Amino acid sequence: MREVITTCTRDCPNACGLIARVEGGKVVSLAGDPRHPVCRGMACRKCAAFVQRVYSPERVVTPL
Ligand code: SF4
């Protein structure tokens, strides 16, 4: 498993820093980066659902 430092992509003024844990090429978890001055290690509920959403079989990935 490796950790990737990233940021939240939502249009939100907090611009939280995140740590993505990646295993076998897939993100397995997202957590707030404790070094980020706003989130201080917390990941909000919207962000916590990113992993579930991105791999959902119901996600629209091509134009309909
Ligand atoms: S993690 Fe939540 S609070 Fe932070 S920037 Fe994203 S949406 Fe906003």
Side-chain angles (χ1 to χ4, degrees), residues 58-64:
E58 295 178 10
R59 181 178 171 206
V60 177
V61 294
T62 58
L64 300 176

Side-chain angles (χ1 to χ4, degrees), residues 4-54:
V4 177
I5 306 300
T6 186
T7 56
C8 178
T9 56
R10 293 187 73 96
D11 184 18
C12 170
N14 290 352
C16 293
L18 302 172
I19 299 174
R21 292 185 176 85
V22 180
E23 204 169 298
K26 286 183 80 171
V27 177
V28 293
S29 71
L30 267 180
D33 188 337
R35 294 163 295 188
H36 191 272
V38 176
C39 70
R40 296 181 188 171
M42 292 289 293
C44 81
R45 200 179 151 122
K46 291 175 279 188
C47 167
F50 279 169
V51 177
Q52 189 179 8
R53 188 178 330 139
V54 79

